[in-house]
Amino acid sequence: MKKYLATAALTALAACGQGSQVANTFYGEAGFVAAAGPFGNATMNNTMIMSGERSYTYELASRFAAEVLTNVNFAFNSSQLDAGARDTLREQAQWIRQFPEARFRVYGHTDAVGSNAYNKSLGLRRAQAVVSYLTSQGISRSRLEAVASFGETQPIVVTEGRERRNRRTVTEVSGFVKDHPSVLDGRYAAIVYREYVNSGVPRSGLTGISGDSFKTD
């Protein structure tokens, strides 16, 4: 019994060691844990699902990935956009302009050559280069969310050597502009399926079956 209590005490002391969550909770000011980390994510997730935002973000993202190339590639140890990358980004910008209610995020990636810290920085520079080019094509910077870098941690081809396919950025739909008039009432479906919605509006000049346009002698 004494051995068990001693073990439990040592475990408790280890849990309360410097920098542990237990110690931080005990010594920190009241409520500070709620101000950081994942607190509230469950509520946010439920709200997004109930409003339809999450499901329609996924549908719009799937459509973006199906209709345009979402990746651009880079030369070794470079964040410069070549002609092929600029062509792809012009297509991305043209697609993005169709949906002024949507927001986008750009992720940077590298191959495995070099240190983790350097590759994270390089991936960020690549993402920033893409964002700069998209803004030059008329996309508002406010719709391009904070770029992020995964460095070498998410390769397409697992290799320690130079691999062009790993040296890339990925553009993704990340959500909707919160203060845009079209989404204030949760009209996400109308945005995603805009072509279908517009196709249901009668074209000018057609008066219907009973109109003069359909009469015969």
Side-chain angles (χ1 to χ4, degrees), residues 203 205-217:
R203 297 182 181 178
L206 297 179
T207 57
I209 295 177
S210 61
D212 293 338
S213 299
F214 294 90
K215 290 182 178 179
T216 58
D217 294 333

Side-chain angles (χ1 to χ4, degrees), residues 6 19 26 49 52 114 121 153 191:
F26 183 80
I49 290 176
S121 174
T153 62
I191 295 167

Side-chain angles (χ1 to χ4, degrees), residues 110 114-125 149 151-152:
T110 71
S115 68
N116 290 338
Y118 181 81
N119 284 337
K120 193 169 183 65
S121 174
L122 177 58
L124 184 60
R125 293 198 301 275
S149 172
E152 62 187 64

Side-chain angles (χ1 to χ4, degrees), residues 35-66:
F39 185 86
N41 281 0
T43 301
M44 179 183 69
N45 184 65
N46 289 342
T47 300
M48 292 175 68
I49 290 176
M50 293 297 289
S51 69
E53 178 177 353
R54 170 142 300 186
S55 62
Y56 287 119
T57 297
Y58 174 79
E59 290 189 44
L60 193 60
S62 298
R63 181 174 169 184
F64 178 61

Side-chain angles (χ1 to χ4, degrees), residues 63 67 93-101 194-195:
R63 181 174 169 184
E67 296 181 3
Q94 183 176 358
W95 196 96
I96 291 171
R97 282 194 293 268
Q98 299 177 75
F99 297 93
E101 309 89 347
R194 179 174 291 141
E195 290 87 346

